[in-house]
Amino acid sequence: MIEIFFIFLSFPIFLLTMLVPLQINLGNLRDIKNILDKLIYNLILNLNFLFLLSVLPIKINQYCLLLAILYLLLFFYKYFIVNFNIGRIINLFLFFLIPGLVFISFAMIIANKLNLGWDAKYFYYIKSLFFFDGLSLETLNNFEHNKWHPHLGSFYWGFFWYLSPLKIEYYGRLFYLFIYCISLYYLTQKIFNKNIIANILFIIISLSLFNYERFSGLQEILIFSLLIIASYFLASSSTNKKFYVLFIILISNVILWIKSEGIVYILIILLCLMSKESINKRLKFITLISFASIILFKYLIYHTYDFIYNAQPYNMDYLRSLNIKVVSDKIKYIVPYLGYYSLKNYIFSLGVIILFYKNIFNKNKEYVLSFSIFTVLNILFIFLAYIIREMEILYSIKTTMERVVFTSSGFYLFLILSMINEKTKIKKNRIYIKLFNRFYRSIFSPKKNY
Amino acid sequence: MFITKKNQKKIIIFAIVLLFLITTDFFRNFNNLIKFNYDQRIVNAYGFCSRESIGYLNYIKAKYKFNYNIRIINYIHAPNTSWSITNPREINKYSNELILLNYPGRKIKIKLNQNKINEYTINNFYFYLDKIKQNNYLEINSVKITGLSNPKIEIIIKDSVGNIIKNIQITNFKIFENRIVHLTNINFEELKNSFNLYLRLSGMNIKNNAQIFFITENKYNVSNYKIIDNYDTCYYLKK
């Protein structure tokens, strides 16, 4: 029973990462879009703050509890002392009621199944164990499989595992689930502006995409979720452009430290940003410098701790040995499997189809170009990754391609939802939709002013 | 007619929530969390002395309270199991103890699966490399010679990239009561890059329900060790 209690408690604990340090004005939920932005800004800031802590030579057990208490005090100070209002607290509860419910239901599945994924057993779990056991980043050098992937996903796992009073590993993995739920909730709410459809779609999409394997300690779900948020920032044409660019950079920093292929995704994101006409040259220059800095910082950290930067099965000797026959043989395998896994992942296939449609009928929309660049480079990356990989092609494809397709599919969710939004707007004037919306708002919309 | 508008709203909310909870098996999961504690759920997920045997590993770790790492050999092709008892502080230090999981006995019998017509394979053959000895042989049941050409057995061993690292052609085998037992004695100490093993038959047919085995002597013999703990086919041994 105590495990269940702590599962319920884990959601408000994770929620702290969205409520501080930036204050959220929960009194006026009509300004939902800005509230959502601030919540996500807090989350991204905290993810980056945790990243900074992870690279410092200090141990989790020296600051984990202290940090949690500090955040709790900050939360009470900001929401109970400075601006105390019981209505705001009720608003907060109502606002997170649906994502909370979804989180807890999925958390129950994770707590029951417990199975760790293959890669998690080899790499990510052991690394999180290092952090959980009070060892710092530099000691990871002793672990022979450290070289394959960066440490950040494992650090989050270890951090929240240590924070849980029962010290059971899956509490750390629940943080991955939290990011998944929140990113989907953010996107649906932003696109549908706290409409009834937003909540229904949030539930449907989170249900349809939920698969225990994704939360078995593998890291793809983190990149998938972060790409969902990044795609919205990238596509948005609002006045928050500077903030969005800043937070895309911060998201990219997190992605870079989660998986080795993170560098490819962030370079594609950078190219997407560079292609946007609405971003002025000065901002583009700053973005370029920022991306270069975060990549250089990774090199610096790897150099400092004497980590191997690239241990993946790619090398120049193999690249030179490739000939047309080998490449065409590999392509023969890649094409059908990529087709198969793309069709299996409805977000990816539907996203690419919608993009194709938008390229013909909505060419003037700025984000269409960004998404097209992302798609072309992403598919190119998938091909190249398997062609230049020194490994038996079929084994390599069968064990990894499904996850590679899934990881990038997060980026396309925006296209699908915005398409649904456009189509429903046309029908919005119909009387029964209006009535249904009014009815729904009367139930779920919290009191507006206190 | 007894349902007021207010009640209608409550019923709809309740229905949506209930539908979601049913879809995610919420009530069963809730019940399982109450019924089984964490250790029991671990056994349900990984087996006690079966599959990955994490239950047994957790049991001996709790019983013998060792703080060092121990080499684990699992005879069932499953992901690495050492994660469950890893001590990161002593990550590269191993004691002279050994844990054998799902120990099959002195001999290991590996079944080959049909890949194509007249081609059989042991996928992920690398898994067996640290468990087998040079003393190995092939066993093929339900053979019938076609008489069209010279019967031949070809054993091909490939590395992880797909390159052939060993090709053995066998023509001097004997068939006794539709069965072939041929000593192969492949030295896998020399073939450490082995990844997949393929077997091709030519000049002969075997029945659809025929089975092909690669039988090899186990590298580990429990009688050569001191048994600290044993449960079924799981052993905790000391040299």
Side-chain angles (χ1 to χ4, degrees), chain B residues 150-181:
Chain B
N150 295 327
K152 190 173 79 177
I153 300 170
E154 201 177 357
I155 298 173
I156 298 156
I157 298 165
K158 290 184 179 177
D159 66 10
S160 63
V161 187
N163 297 324
I164 296 172
I165 53 171
K166 186 89 178 173
N167 189 336
I168 304 161
Q169 306 214 0
I170 308 163
T171 49
N172 60 341
F173 55 84
K174 285 177 183 162
I175 303 170
F176 180 69
E177 291 180 347
N178 293 338
R179 187 164 168 259
I180 297 171
V181 178

Side-chain angles (χ1 to χ4, degrees), chain B residues 31-76:
Chain B
N31 184 42
N32 280 349
L33 285 181
I34 294 171
K35 216 160 100 184
F36 303 110
N37 66 25
Y38 179 73
D39 290 335
Q40 287 167 324
R41 295 202 310 277
I42 283 280
V43 172
N44 292 344
Y46 298 105
F48 187 80
C49 180
S50 60
R51 294 172 283 153
E52 291 169 65
S53 309
I54 303 298
Y56 181 71
L57 293 174
N58 284 348
Y59 159 75
I60 56 168
K61 189 172 186 183
K63 188 176 173 184
Y64 298 98
K65 295 188 178 7
F66 46 79
N67 277 321
Y68 38 82
N69 294 303
I70 302 173
R71 205 166 128 74
I72 301 169
I73 305 286
N74 186 1
Y75 287 87
I76 286 182

